Amino acid sequence: MFTIHQLRGFVAVAEEGHFGRAAQRLSMTQPPLSRQIQQLEKELRVTLIDRSGRTVRLTPAGRAFLRDARRLLNDAENATQSVRRVTDGRAGVLSLGFTATSGYGVLGTVLRAAARELPHVEIVLSELVTRDQIDRITAGTLDAGLVRPPTPPAVESRLVRSEALMAALPVDHPLAVQDEIALSALHGADVVGYSPLEARYFYDLVVGVLGAADVRPTHVQHAHQVHTVLALVEAGMGIALVPETAARLRFEGLVFRRVRTPVAEPVELHVAWRADNDNPALRTFLDLTLAENVRYG
Amino acid sequence: MFTIHQLRGFVAVAEEGHFGRAAQRLSMTQPPLSRQIQQLEKELRVTLIDRSGRTVRLTPAGRAFLRDARRLLNDAENATQSVRRVTDGRAGVLSLGFTATSGYGVLGTVLRAAARELPHVEIVLSELVTRDQIDRITAGTLDAGLVRPPTPPAVESRLVRSEALMAALPVDHPLAVQDEIALSALHGADVVGYSPLEARYFYDLVVGVLGAADVRPTHVQHAHQVHTVLALVEAGMGIALVPETAARLRFEGLVFRRVRTPVAEPVELHVAWRADNDNPALRTFLDLTLAENVRYG
DNA sequence: CGTCATTACGGAATGCGTAATGATA
DNA sequence: TATCATTACGCATTCCGTAATGACG
């Protein structure tokens, strides 16, 4: 196989049309350059340069090879630049998990910021519940995840965004006339809740918020996912407490109202990753995700 | 810049996941392979392989570079094959001239045969009169041309196809009722002829054919190109003698009739080229063009 | 005969293989 | 401690530069 050095030599000679000038351009003397080309030709078993005259003229094969040689040199240079970008975290592949709910709000902001700031980083997305994300992060098949707390000590995590709870209720519900709904108003009301296993975080959150206020509603139904909960509300099964961003899911006949809770924004979304993950794109991705304009943008 | 050898080494190690086996595959021992990779990494200023354990694990940068390295090796191999095809005449660029009239018949046959037999040869076409084709062939800017004889001694040429002359005449012309028209029928008739300068070959041909038969028609008009001649015939200016393949130009209100000439097929088309042309694609192209199935296909 | 490419030759650098060392599971 | 990668060292090859030769205009 020929050498990249030989390609350089050939391209220089072809472009200068002169061994002497080509050698000068390559900071060397003519003889080794002459041998380089000879060796390249021997390797290819093809004559690239017509030496019948004293002038340098490419053969048809030489002209064809010149294009390929230029492209190869260019690609080699690009490969170098590209791999350096990967170590800088400015290129590469990052696998990112996210929960269904985070997809309505934070994920879009994060992806837009990444597309803008890290155009060479390809982000591979997987919608997964928090538990599965943590498993995969631990196993090393996921670089980062947008998850609900808590996270085990084995993985790092930081708060990305916290948001308020809102009440979702049918537009014709008596409470819908109010701008803001007190927790006490839910006492005895029909409430659509979350599955204690599959939606552990929201289950605990809602139970905690209502329990602290000593409000005991009637739990009429459980669902795994926020959009299912909203569908049940729309079907008239009751009221639900959902994160603020879920209000982006426009359901016909559904309204959202502020709920005053002890903690103003009790719904937390964290980004989680493994401390010893060596993907450089992870660092730049985390810097980006934890930047203020992404957290609140 | 890194070496193609280093790329080979890296790809082997990455694929085998083991320096020893990779070295075996490359028919060498581990130590130089190990150094090859180190040098590649030093050159790139990037760590490609995680050596923390005893196992070979690629870093994210390594995974990214593996793709590029494979592609570069593949492209280099392809470039070698490709340039060899050029010297075989099975690839490359061939510039071909043709006269407007040859475009109606032979050219299509030639191009179809070339596309079938020489798929890697790109044929660049130029429509030019014979005189300009000869000039460019002599100057070396045209590899071959489909021309009318005669050609000067400085260029080689071979007959590609000869064809009969036909009379083109308006559908309502008195002579149009005959299947075949005798030259003597043209005596005194209005005939649309060819320009003695710009269409020298056809001018000489028609004058020669008619003169030998001692037929003296009335030359009403000259034109450079066959399709112009036909347009004049259609306009009722007279009869014209045109090559057989020109009958492919379907003009409304125009019919073609056989003409009995001393030589059955007096219209010749030749392929011309310069003897010292070093484009290997020219040889294969000529072989193809002069093959029987192209000459008569 | 002057310019330009190729061949000739000597020294430096590179690269492989064998042997020794180091590190990990 | 056994396996696997890296470092150490000696030898062959490669590659560059200077000098000499050859060829075209």
Side-chain angles (χ1 to χ4, degrees), chain A residues 19-20 31 34-35 38 51 54:
Chain A
F19 276 75
S34 183
R35 277 178 313 224
Q38 285 172 33
R51 297 164 171 80
R54 206 172 46 180

Side-chain angles (χ1 to χ4, degrees), chain A:
Chain A
M1 176 60 61
F2 52 79
T3 296
I4 292 182
H5 242 72
Q6 292 169 350
L7 295 184
R8 276 200 202 297
F10 172 65
V11 170
V13 170
E15 288 181 351
E16 297 289 343
H18 193 287
F19 276 75
R21 281 193 296 276
Q24 200 172 354
R25 189 170 115 182
L26 297 169
S27 306
M28 63 190 297
T29 56
Q30 293 96 327
L33 179 58
S34 183
R35 277 178 313 224
Q36 246 180 42
I37 307 295
Q38 285 172 33
Q39 226 162 337
L40 174 60
E41 289 179 314
K42 186 179 165 188
E43 181 63 49
L44 294 173
R45 301 198 296 270
V46 163
T47 304
L48 299 172
I49 293 177
D50 176 16
R51 297 164 171 80
S52 62
R54 206 172 46 180
T55 58
V56 168
R57 262 192 57 222
L58 294 185
T59 63
R63 280 191 289 277
F65 192 68
L66 178 58
R67 283 195 295 273
D68 285 342
R70 280 208 183 98
R71 196 171 42 76
L72 282 168
L73 286 175
N74 196 50
D75 287 356
E77 186 57 41
N78 285 345
T80 305
Q81 298 303 325
S82 174
V83 74
R84 285 183 187 155
R85 275 204 300 269
V86 173
T87 49
D88 291 347
R90 292 182 359 259
V93 179
L94 184 116
S95 56
L96 176 68
F98 66 100
T99 62
T101 323
S102 69
Y104 308 141
V106 171
L107 185 66
T109 310
V110 166
L111 293 182
R112 275 190 296 277
R116 193 177 58 238
E117 305 292 333
L118 303 170
H120 298 290
V121 173
E122 182 191 351
I123 296 183
V124 177
L125 294 170
S126 307
E127 196 221 289
L128 296 165
V129 297
T130 295
R131 151 111 267 114
D132 291 345
Q133 288 191 56
I134 297 296
D135 287 349
R136 298 210 187 178
I137 289 170
T138 307
T141 61
L142 204 62
D143 290 312
L146 295 172
V147 300
R148 301 296 176 186
T151 53
V155 304
E156 297 280 318
S157 80
R158 293 278 185 292
L159 176 68
V160 172
R161 194 179 290 184
S162 56
E163 46 184 325
L165 270 180
M166 296 193 89
L169 56 173
V171 69
D172 56 358
H173 194 283
L175 290 174
V177 297
Q178 303 177 17
D179 268 358
E180 185 169 312
I181 295 174
L183 281 173
S184 55
L186 300 180
H187 197 78
D190 285 353
V191 163
V192 179
Y194 297 89
S195 310
L197 290 173
E198 290 82 359
R200 175 78 179 278
Y201 176 71
F202 283 112
Y203 176 83
D204 287 347
L205 182 68
V206 170
V207 166
V209 164
L210 295 178
D214 208 25
V215 172
R216 282 184 296 281
T218 308
H219 283 288
V220 294
Q221 195 86 26
H222 289 310
H224 297 13
Q225 297 189 289
V226 169
H227 75 260
T228 314
V229 167
L230 292 177
L232 293 172
V233 172
E234 192 195 17
M237 305 297 291
I239 301 176
L241 293 179
V242 299
E244 210 175 343
T245 48
R248 299 196 183 190
L249 287 172
R250 298 254 162 253
F251 273 73
E252 197 71 36
L254 218 70
V255 295
F256 295 90
R257 295 291 178 258
R258 247 180 205 296
V259 174
R260 179 169 291 274
T261 49
V263 177
E265 297 184 325
V267 188
E268 293 191 350
L269 188 73
H270 289 231
V271 59
W273 69 93
R274 216 171 78 173
D276 64 350
N277 186 311
D278 63 350
N279 188 342
L282 176 60
R283 298 292 141 196
T284 53
F285 175 79
L286 290 175
D287 289 346
L288 192 77
T289 302
L290 298 174
E292 300 302 309
N293 62 328
V294 170
R295 297 180 65 185
Y296 304 112

Side-chain angles (χ1 to χ4, degrees), chain B residues 93-131:
Chain B
V93 179
L94 183 115
S95 55
L96 175 69
F98 66 101
T99 62
T101 324
S102 70
Y104 309 141
V106 171
L107 185 66
T109 310
V110 166
L111 293 182
R112 274 190 297 278
R116 193 178 59 241
E117 304 293 331
L118 302 170
H120 297 291
V121 173
E122 182 192 352
I123 296 182
V124 177
L125 294 170
S126 307
E127 197 222 288
L128 295 165
V129 297
T130 295
R131 152 111 267 115

Side-chain angles (χ1 to χ4, degrees), chain B residues 150-169:
Chain B
T151 52
V155 305
E156 298 280 320
S157 79
R158 293 278 184 291
L159 177 68
V160 173
R161 193 178 292 183
S162 55
E163 47 182 325
L165 269 182
M166 296 194 88
L169 55 174

Side-chain angles (χ1 to χ4, degrees), chain B residues 19-20 31 34-35 38 51 54:
Chain B
F19 276 74
S34 183
R35 277 180 312 226
Q38 284 171 34
R51 297 164 169 81
R54 204 172 46 179

Side-chain angles (χ1 to χ4, degrees), chain B residues 20-34:
Chain B
R21 279 192 297 276
Q24 200 171 353
R25 190 170 113 183
L26 297 169
S27 306
M28 64 191 295
T29 55
Q30 294 95 328
L33 179 58
S34 183

